[in-house]
Amino acid sequence: MRFAYLITLRLWKQLLRDRRTLGLLLFAPIIYIIVFGIAFGGEIEHEPIIVINEDSDTQIMRIELLPGPPYINTTFQDVSSLGAKIVESLNNSVKVDVTISSLKYSDTKELVNEKQYKCAIWIPTNFTYNLASFSGQNLSIKLFLDNSNPQEGGVIIQAFQEAFQEATGEFRENLKLDIDYAHGEDSTTLDFFAPAMIIFGVFFFSFILIMMNLIGERKGGTLPLLLQCPYDKGQIILGYLAAFSVVSMAQTTVIIIVARAMFDISFGTTFAHYISLYIGAVILGWNGLVLAIFLSSFARSEFQAVQFVPLVILPALLLSGIIIPISQIPLIIRWVCYLLPTTYGVHLLRQISIEGYTLELLNLDLFAMLIFFGLFLIGSRFTLKET
Amino acid sequence: MTFDIEISQVSKRFGDVIAVDNLDLQVNRGEIFCLVGPNAAGKTTTIRLLLGILKPEKGSGKILVKNFHIPREKKRLRRIMGYLPQQRALYDLLTTKENIKFFAQAKGVPGDIADKNTSLMIDKLSLNKHQNKLALHLSGGTQQRTALAQAMVNKPEIAFLDEPTVGLDPVLRREFWHYFREIARDQGTTILVTTHYLNEAEWADRVGVMRNGSLLAVDTPENLLKQTGQKNMENMFFELIKGDMA
């Protein structure tokens, strides 16, 4: 046991002398627990929906058969609008934020298509009357749902069903929900996570690979030699970018092929979708790459470099909308989401693969990723040094 | 008189340790100047200060009348300069030939000339039978020969060789020095070489004996031996530091 004791003692000494590692070892778990706790502590709430309520209070006639003359007794019963009750219940729900509209249903659908609302609900004229008098007409409520995120879509449906149940009581059996989908009609959870596979493959793999590669170059002495060459060190970064862009594209291809062949996941229907997907993936890969170059200058060994990996990957995994929708992340930490390039990458790739979006030149997600890339590039240009 | 390398009053410290202390040094064109001294004498720090890798706390240094801390001049100098660091810096998964050619091109040598220079270096440093082997599979001596070829493949006007013979057998060490003399003679290359093998210094044109960041003496090997009354450089060094050791 003496040998084991010697090894333990030696490791403790090394650890205590490596202040950077020691700091990271103690600091990193604090970050993990905070990020985990806050990220998973939230619920999906305040989904914006738009409601057209054309229903109104009504009066229904009740006919009662009598044993003697006049044989029929007719009474009128006032029934207050079920539509109004549904809207009231929805208003009381934290799951959705309701906007009442007097627009046409087709116009509200357009607003959902434009992503201003997650769902448009149309409660038609005489809904209460028809439902209460069992006439069988207009017994359906129309919903137009953006289901590009099935988790959010599910919460909206659930909020509506709860509101309907609360409002209508005995009449609820007659209801038919007539749902049309703006996006993601056939979306499954796997479809939702598929773009995240590309994020994992491209961003994280680029990050880890470059980090280790550069530490190796620095320790092996080739990086100081490269920095003694008569060119700007920006060219070293560009060389890495060009080489690993091809790697990012190859990874994207492999992920698409395997996901399609094994799990029937489609990332798009046209050539333009795939081109958009590749552009998004490569630019996201660039972000991982320059971030790794930037951070590698703060690590003197592979051991220190490895500690940066969870510090980058964990927030990106939990706060980019990969697993938990951004809308579910508590406001206190939501600003962090917008400081992560992966947030924009996830959004862009999901738009392409689930909503069938084709990349345009002026795309905000792309623009945000390029801004991050520029900032990391400038940072890495300054931190890349011989010593 | 102008010198290819000129340092005046340069100092550098790392924490409490003075690595280079008020150093004055001049190296003439086309000469092999050897900085000799024990480990931690400040030899590598001097080279790193000259190359601009480290910044001096005071004093200034010039290479070929150019200030190395001015970026534009630094870039120009790097094209006509060779640098062999202490560590054998090779790409393991490139062959000997690929490693040498890569650094020729990285130093701005055009493609066809890079090919020619690479072949020349392979011949000169007897790397022919190893040229297509991965660096990973080379012996220590062959790796060092490849590293030297990398440093000299751009036919530099001035070369900084930091402990080029460390870890080599006596035969290979002699071969290296033979090669230094050959390129100094044929190409007029100025060479600043460091070593802690004291006896090697006698193969240089001039020697600077370094200890604790300062130069104890600078002269030709013959004059140093004569001044100290010793027959070899090792004894000469101990004679110079006799006072300090007592």
Side-chain angles (χ1 to χ4, degrees), chain B residues 3-238:
Chain B
F3 303 99
D4 269 10
I5 299 171
E6 194 170 8
I7 297 176
S8 61
Q9 297 291 300
V10 165
S11 290
K12 178 73 185 174
R13 67 167 65 221
F14 298 107
D16 295 336
V17 180
I18 300 168
V20 171
D21 191 13
N22 276 322
L23 190 74
D24 286 300
L25 174 72
Q26 290 88 31
V27 178
N28 300 311
R29 174 147 305 172
E31 80 172 340
I32 301 176
F33 188 98
C34 180
L35 271 179
V36 67
N39 294 330
K43 307 183 295 289
T44 297
T45 305
T46 304
I47 284 191
R48 288 162 74 85
L49 283 165
L50 274 164
L51 294 177
I53 298 171
L54 298 173
K55 276 193 179 151
E57 260 130 54
K58 70 180 200 68
S60 63
K62 283 184 177 176
I63 302 169
L64 301 169
V65 209
K66 301 265 195 307
N67 187 334
F68 215 91
H69 291 282
I70 298 172
R72 200 165 15 142
E73 301 203 338
K74 195 191 260 190
K75 205 174 277 184
R76 272 189 217 149
L77 275 170
R78 281 174 173 169
R79 283 184 187 273
I80 53 167
M81 204 184 78
Y83 170 45
L84 175 71
Q86 241 180 63
Q87 196 179 5
R88 282 171 201 151
L90 302 174
Y91 289 108
D92 283 348
L93 296 176
L94 294 189
T95 63
T96 301
K97 193 176 178 178
E98 286 166 342
N99 264 297
I100 300 169
K101 192 182 167 189
F102 171 77
F103 278 101
Q105 291 177 315
K107 285 175 185 175
V109 179
D112 50 337
I113 301 174
D115 274 330
K116 212 173 105 189
N117 286 7
T118 302
S119 302
L120 202 73
M121 293 309 300
I122 286 172
D123 277 344
K124 273 203 166 162
L125 289 162
S126 312
L127 287 164
N128 292 295
K129 62 178 180 182
H130 305 289
Q131 60 177 315
N132 294 320
K133 284 185 193 165
L134 293 181
L136 183 72
H137 298 138
L138 300 175
S139 68
T142 312
Q143 281 186 347
Q144 188 66 345
R145 272 188 283 163
T146 307
L148 181 63
Q150 274 178 189
M152 308 302 277
V153 70
N154 57 331
K155 294 193 172 175
E157 285 182 33
I158 189 160
F160 298 87
L161 309 176
D162 194 4
E163 307 263 11
T165 56
V166 72
L168 301 184
D169 63 56
V171 176
L172 200 53
R173 273 158 57 190
R174 193 174 280 260
E175 268 179 31
F176 266 42
W177 275 92
H178 178 74
Y179 167 74
F180 301 157
R181 295 221 63 88
E182 197 180 291
I183 56 160
R185 185 190 65 221
D186 298 347
Q187 293 175 28
T189 305
T190 307
I191 300 175
L192 177 65
V193 56
T194 69
T195 182
H196 61 256
Y197 297 122
L198 300 165
N199 284 334
E200 266 184 19
E202 67 185 45
W203 295 323
D205 293 324
R206 283 200 307 146
V207 178
V209 184
M210 223 178 160
R211 190 167 187 245
N212 296 334
S214 301
L215 275 172
L216 301 178
V218 179
D219 215 326
T220 60
E222 297 77 21
N223 284 347
L224 284 171
L225 293 174
K226 209 181 288 175
Q227 282 159 20
T228 53
Q230 299 299 324
K231 287 187 176 158
N232 65 51
M233 297 299 276
E234 202 163 302
N235 290 344
M236 178 277 296
F237 177 75
F238 285 111

Side-chain angles (χ1 to χ4, degrees), chain A residues 107-359:
Chain A
D107 293 338
T108 58
K109 281 167 80 172
E110 205 46 50
L111 295 175
V112 175
N113 277 326
E114 287 168 9
K115 295 267 174 192
Q116 289 187 40
Y117 295 96
K118 290 280 166 61
C119 182
I121 299 173
W122 179 24
I123 306 170
T125 317
N126 294 333
F127 175 72
T128 306
Y129 178 80
N130 288 325
L131 198 62
S133 60
F134 303 104
S135 68
Q137 289 171 25
N138 292 330
L139 283 186
S140 66
I141 288 183
K142 283 187 183 295
L143 274 80
F144 188 65
L145 182 68
D146 174 0
N147 199 38
S148 49
N149 180 337
Q151 287 170 285
E152 290 176 341
V155 165
I156 293 169
I157 299 280
Q158 190 191 355
F160 184 81
Q161 284 171 335
E162 284 168 5
F164 186 80
Q165 200 160 358
E166 201 179 310
T168 61
E170 60 183 296
F171 301 120
R172 64 178 174 271
E173 290 155 23
N174 294 350
L175 179 80
K176 197 176 95 201
L177 285 183
D178 184 359
I179 305 175
D180 276 333
Y181 292 91
H183 311 288
E185 180 169 2
D186 303 319
S187 265
T188 62
T189 307
L190 205 53
D191 288 317
F192 181 68
F193 281 117
M197 294 175 200
I198 295 180
I199 306 286
F200 255 100
V202 174
F203 180 82
F204 298 152
F205 192 76
S206 295
F207 179 81
I208 294 166
L209 199 68
I210 304 299
M211 192 92 175
M212 292 305 155
N213 210 305
L214 272 175
I215 298 285
E217 282 230 37
R218 193 182 295 277
K219 279 184 78 183
T222 47
L223 184 64
L225 267 190
L226 289 181
L227 291 167
Q228 282 297 323
C229 290
Y231 297 104
D232 189 272
K233 52 189 171 183
Q235 291 204 41
I236 298 175
I237 301 172
L238 285 180
Y240 265 85
L241 279 180
F244 284 94
S245 295
V246 178
V247 176
S248 296
M249 286 168 79
Q251 284 181 310
T252 307
T253 309
V254 170
I255 293 166
I256 289 172
I257 292 171
V258 175
R260 188 147 205 170
M262 292 184 69
F263 303 105
D264 198 27
I265 295 169
S266 168
F267 289 87
T269 47
T270 65
F271 184 64
H273 285 146
Y274 285 95
I275 294 290
S276 305
L277 207 65
Y278 277 107
I279 292 172
V282 165
I283 291 172
L284 192 67
W286 287 356
N287 273 278
L289 196 138
V290 285
L291 184 63
I293 295 174
F294 176 69
L295 289 176
S296 70
S297 302
F298 301 102
R300 292 191 193 286
S301 64
E302 286 89 343
F303 190 51
Q304 287 182 348
V306 162
Q307 325 231 4
F308 281 117
V309 173
L311 277 182
V312 169
I313 287 182
L314 199 78
L317 183 66
L318 295 177
L319 301 177
S320 302
I322 292 178
I323 300 172
I324 311 152
I326 304 277
S327 58
Q328 192 187 341
I329 290 167
L331 282 173
I332 191 171
I333 206 172
R334 200 176 297 170
W335 60 272
V336 180
C337 304
Y338 298 108
L339 295 178
L340 301 169
T342 40
T343 298
Y344 304 94
V346 171
H347 186 246
L348 179 66
L349 297 194
R350 278 205 181 121
Q351 266 191 309
I352 296 166
S353 63
I354 297 179
E355 297 167 24
Y357 170 78
T358 309
L359 202 56

